[in-house]
Amino acid sequence: MQHLASVRRLEAVGFRAWPAASIQYDGSWQIRLTAGHPSKRLNSVNPLDPSDHRDIEKRVERAAQRFRAYGRPLVFRQSPLAPPQLDAYFDAHGWRRFDETRVMMTAIDRLDLEDVLDHLPIREIGRYVDASIQVHGRDPVLKPGLTEVLSSIRPEAGFFVLEEPGTGPVATALCVHDNDMAGIFELATRTDRQRLGHAREVVATALRWARMRGAENAWLQVEADNKAAVSLYEGFGFEDIYRYDYRQAPELAAHE
């Protein structure tokens, strides 16, 4: 029960830090949809009670109708809060499992951040979005949607951009400070400037900023097969709290 309590808290913090445009509920299944941004975390069904497994087939179809209306493929995000019966239903119907993600946490007060360069977060969301799109190598068409998501964050958010003279932004990260928790999101280093310590620097900067504002623990989500990022985070003492993955019907996967 203690483990599930930790999962519930981190799930709630995560939803606040990365807010969807539309949130509806079918029982304890949270249905998150966002027309302006394709992120799976913003466009997925999130079951939040292991005991809520009634009428699975009907509820999956209702969710599918909502996703079709939004023009999004139906995706379920399966954390330890999802009922095992729902995974069994997906297995029986051939739904694929993909993008396993590790949710990790570390105690900020144990970290030595005294020698970290003090990069202040920027105040202009538009400037951060431009830098983030450039560093990630994303399509600029995502700018309005990402701007909308970031503008909707209610807890205090720090937008960090590392720049090099003459080359522009080389690394970006978002840190969301929510009471005693600090979440790290959207970390990226420009392809031509990787393996030079920029990612470590921007993470350390964000953690120091959060600690100065009273955060005691930091958490993040990272795809399990991203070995470089996992190694970086483990260097800061991040450890697994739980994992989640996504499920999608075979006919939807075939059309991706």
Side-chain angles (χ1 to χ4, degrees):
M1 294 300 294
Q2 181 60 39
H3 172 66
L4 288 183
S6 298
V7 174
R8 287 190 178 95
R9 185 173 187 218
L10 284 169
E11 288 289 286
V13 171
F15 292 151
R16 290 194 295 270
W18 200 239
S22 170
I23 298 174
Q24 298 176 325
Y25 283 89
D26 186 338
S28 63
W29 296 7
Q30 186 183 102
I31 301 172
R32 294 163 58 82
L33 284 162
T34 304
H37 198 284
S39 163
K40 294 189 299 298
R41 277 183 285 168
L42 296 176
N43 296 277
S44 56
V45 181
N46 296 259
L48 300 176
D49 184 349
S51 67
D52 183 5
H53 53 81
R54 70 190 187 285
D55 300 327
I56 286 178
E57 186 169 3
K58 292 180 180 178
R59 294 167 74 186
V60 169
E61 177 54 33
R62 284 201 297 265
Q65 292 174 2
R66 288 173 173 168
F67 275 69
R68 283 195 293 268
Y70 246 82
R72 294 287 185 206
L74 176 62
V75 175
F76 273 73
R77 179 175 168 274
Q78 297 287 94
S79 78
L81 301 180
Q85 293 86 348
L86 183 56
D87 261 326
Y89 172 86
F90 293 147
D91 290 341
H93 289 79
W95 286 47
R96 69 170 179 138
R97 186 188 303 271
F98 64 104
D99 288 355
E100 182 184 33
T101 300
R102 299 168 65 170
V103 180
M104 309 177 76
M105 190 162 64
T106 190
I108 303 180
D109 57 3
R110 300 178 186 172
L111 301 178
D112 182 6
L113 302 173
E114 298 308 315
D115 295 330
V116 174
L117 293 177
D118 194 11
H119 297 283
L120 295 176
I122 64 176
R123 295 182 177 276
E124 301 173 17
I125 291 181
R127 180 183 162 198
Y128 171 82
V129 170
D130 287 338
S132 178
I133 287 175
Q134 180 179 342
V135 168
H136 280 88
R138 291 171 172 164
D139 190 332
V141 74
L142 293 175
K143 180 176 179 177
L146 182 56
T147 301
E148 182 180 4
V149 172
L150 298 180
S151 299
S152 300
I153 298 173
R154 291 293 170 259
E156 184 180 20
F159 303 102
F160 293 90
V161 177
L162 296 189
E163 296 180 311
E164 287 183 342
T167 67
V170 296
T172 59
L174 165 66
C175 183
V176 179
H177 173 217
D178 190 342
N179 295 312
D180 64 325
M181 303 289 289
I184 301 293
F185 296 84
E186 291 286 280
L187 173 68
T189 303
R190 208 172 69 201
T191 303
D192 63 330
R193 304 304 293 162
Q194 292 178 354
R195 301 184 183 280
L196 297 175
H198 296 306
R200 183 174 296 277
E201 182 178 348
V202 74
V203 170
T205 297
L207 293 177
R208 183 180 180 189
W209 173 83
R211 185 168 71 181
M212 291 177 65
R213 277 153 184 76
E216 299 174 2
N217 295 291
W219 71 280
L220 52 84
Q221 305 178 31
V222 58
E223 289 193 8
D225 61 0
N226 189 340
K227 296 181 180 179
V230 169
S231 178
L232 168 68
Y233 297 139
E234 288 178 341
F236 283 99
F238 282 92
E239 298 179 343
D240 279 6
I241 303 299
Y242 64 97
R243 299 189 180 203
Y244 66 81
D245 55 28
Y246 293 91
R247 304 296 301 260
Q248 189 172 57
E251 63 270 19
L252 294 175
H255 288 85
E256 286 190 348

